[in-house]
Amino acid sequence: MFGATLLLSLREIRRHLLRSILTTLGIIIGVAAVVTMVTLGNGVTASVQEEISSLGASNFIVFPVRTDRGTVRQFDQGDVDAVAQQIAGVEVAAGNVRSNATAFYNGQDWDTQVTGADSAFLQAQSIDVVEGRAFTSEEETSGKNVCLLGPKVREAIFLPDASPVGETMRLGSVSCNVIGVLEERGQGGGGADDDDTVMMPMKTVQRRFRGSDKIDYFVLKYDSAYSASVIQDALVDLLRERRLLQAAEANDFNVIDTAQVNDALGAVTGALTAMVAVIASISLLVGGIGIMNIMLVSVTERTREIGIRLAIGALAREVRLQFLTEAVVLCALGGLAGLLLAFFASVSLAGVIDVPFVFDPMINILSFVFASAMGIVFGYYPARRASQLDPIDALRHE
């Protein structure tokens, strides 16, 4: 019975193909909009989480801030060593300094950022050296002129098929021996491009580029078995003590917990994605109303056909099932078309806004099921109206 009803529904849809396509446009657009928005939202969330993860997991980033007096008190190595040695749960703490310079090699030049850091900084932020090696302790202690290249700097001034390891380049007036190449990391904190950098031992940058032993900021990595809030409280207390801050004075530094930032940004992007998806789903309701209208028109057009079926013995529930099946099939076909449209739109837009394409099977299945259910919701009234026609009056209908 159901198979025969389904074949009748498909035949009726094919007889009025253009009208059926126009009728399902609302469903197609609604499904495509919802799935596309959720997919792009997932891609944005994944991109943000990837950027945050480049700062390292279970990390605190500590940097000085401007006080009410308009001054900024920078950190020194003593602050970093005290944090590493006196706070339980801290695995490693490492400072960082930055400067700007022009990189020169074999007639090529590139304006870039010089980063002063040690192997502890690489460990704290989980940065890998993909070619060559990292700094040795002797190079860090003596401040030797050795460097690690970011991927963009390598691409800009070195030949693509030649290894830069072992070559000598210049940063401004400072010569350095390339000992390795850093992994690709993307955008970093403060909008800086972490791939467009040359990393040297911190003492080298302090002496040759900054002329100061101060530190711009430092990173600490803590054991995830410890409470982040307890470590943060201990960190704040220790730094306030070292910086001789009175009880009434505000902190002249800020502490960022990368895990909290990751969770907060994930929650915000998730909420925005849900809101946009709800707004887009309104078009599904509009599409459902279109289905109801066209089914009512179909009932009116086929009144004599309905009268003949009822007169020769068809049951009211069989007539109701036929029209309900047509509505569900229309919505299901519209849902499938919407999913195909959403797939191509998501892939294209993800490339345009430079976020990963994250396929979510659950939202695709739910959108298809919801679209099909719209056929039941908005097709029931026309189907019920058809089943309640009086056979005699229906046969008289012109």
Side-chain angles (χ1 to χ4, degrees):
M1 176 63 188
F2 179 75
T5 303
L6 181 61
L7 289 175
L8 287 173
S9 302
L10 291 173
R11 186 187 66 182
E12 191 63 32
I13 292 172
R14 188 177 61 183
R15 280 176 54 191
H16 304 283
L17 185 59
L18 180 59
R19 185 175 73 179
S20 299
I21 293 174
L22 295 175
T23 301
T24 57
L25 271 180
I27 300 295
I28 294 172
I29 295 172
V31 170
V34 171
V35 175
T36 301
M37 289 300 100
V38 172
T39 302
L40 292 178
N42 290 339
V44 171
T45 301
S47 179
V48 169
Q49 290 176 339
E50 183 180 355
E51 298 296 341
I52 297 298
S53 66
S54 69
L55 301 177
S58 302
N59 279 14
F60 286 120
I61 300 175
V62 188
F63 56 91
V65 295
R66 193 173 300 278
T67 64
D68 295 337
R69 301 173 187 155
T71 59
V72 178
R73 293 174 58 193
Q74 292 181 299
F75 298 109
D76 56 35
Q77 189 60 40
D79 296 322
V80 180
D81 294 339
V83 168
Q85 296 166 8
Q86 298 181 30
I87 299 180
V90 174
E91 295 181 343
V92 62
N96 185 284
V97 293
R98 297 189 176 186
S99 184
N100 295 320
T102 302
F104 297 94
Y105 177 78
N106 198 26
Q108 301 294 321
D109 63 272
W110 180 260
D111 292 331
T112 187
Q113 176 180 254
V114 182
T115 301
D118 296 334
S119 295
F121 184 82
L122 299 179
Q123 179 184 350
Q125 295 214 305
S126 302
I127 303 173
D128 292 330
V129 178
V130 295
E131 186 177 344
R133 61 175 177 83
F135 306 126
T136 64
S137 57
E138 191 272 332
E139 290 168 341
E140 294 171 354
T141 303
S142 61
K144 284 194 173 182
N145 292 354
V146 292
C147 57
L148 301 169
L149 301 183
K152 284 193 176 178
V153 179
R154 174 186 178 169
E155 181 182 348
I157 62 176
F158 287 90
L159 295 175
D161 56 346
S163 173
V165 177
E167 300 294 328
T168 299
M169 58 177 286
R170 268 195 310 121
L171 289 169
S173 60
V174 179
S175 296
C176 68
N177 182 38
V178 180
I179 62 171
V181 178
L182 299 172
E183 68 174 344
E184 187 173 343
R185 291 186 290 158
Q187 201 78 2
D193 188 348
D194 284 340
D195 292 335
D196 188 5
T197 187
V198 177
M199 188 175 292
M200 302 182 72
M202 187 163 60
K203 285 189 177 180
T204 307
V205 177
Q206 288 174 329
R207 294 171 183 170
R208 305 299 298 273
F209 293 90
R210 297 287 296 272
S212 168
D213 62 355
K214 295 300 182 181
I215 294 173
D216 291 340
Y217 69 93
F218 69 89
V219 179
L220 66 90
K221 183 176 183 179
Y222 61 88
D223 188 343
S224 58
Y226 286 76
S227 169
S229 60
V230 171
I231 293 178
Q232 183 171 354
D233 291 342
L235 173 64
V236 171
D237 291 342
L238 176 61
L239 291 178
R240 287 184 61 86
E241 179 183 343
R242 289 187 58 84
R243 295 163 81 83
L244 304 178
L245 295 176
Q246 301 300 316
E249 291 184 280
N251 293 337
D252 59 0
F253 58 90
N254 203 354
V255 180
I256 297 177
D257 185 350
T258 57
Q260 289 183 352
V261 172
N262 195 9
D263 293 341
L265 288 176
V268 170
T269 54
L272 289 175
T273 299
M275 181 183 69
V276 172
V278 169
I279 295 173
S281 65
I282 294 175
S283 59
L284 275 175
L285 297 178
V286 176
I289 294 172
I291 293 291
M292 179 185 289
N293 288 338
I294 204 64
M295 291 306 298
L296 287 172
V297 171
S298 180
V299 169
T300 302
E301 289 178 345
R302 296 158 61 187
T303 300
R304 284 181 60 82
E305 174 192 331
I306 296 169
I308 293 173
R309 292 193 63 190
L310 291 172
I312 62 176
L315 300 177
R317 61 182 176 85
E318 293 172 345
V319 174
R320 184 168 59 246
L321 178 63
Q322 178 184 348
F323 281 88
L324 197 57
T325 302
E326 287 183 22
V328 172
V329 169
L330 273 175
C331 289
L333 292 175
L336 285 175
L339 291 180
L340 288 174
L341 178 60
F343 176 80
F344 292 110
S346 299
V347 172
S348 301
L349 291 175
V352 171
I353 64 177
D354 195 23
V355 298
F357 171 71
V358 181
F359 180 76
D360 187 348
M362 184 55 65
I363 190 62
N364 283 265
I365 293 173
L366 288 177
S367 296
F368 176 74
V369 171
F370 186 76
S372 301
M374 299 289 284
I376 299 176
V377 174
F378 290 96
Y380 181 77
Y381 174 71
R384 183 172 178 270
R385 183 173 177 178
S387 67
Q388 290 180 338
L389 289 175
D390 182 85
I392 297 176
D393 292 336
L395 288 172
R396 291 177 182 160
H397 183 78
E398 294 294 335

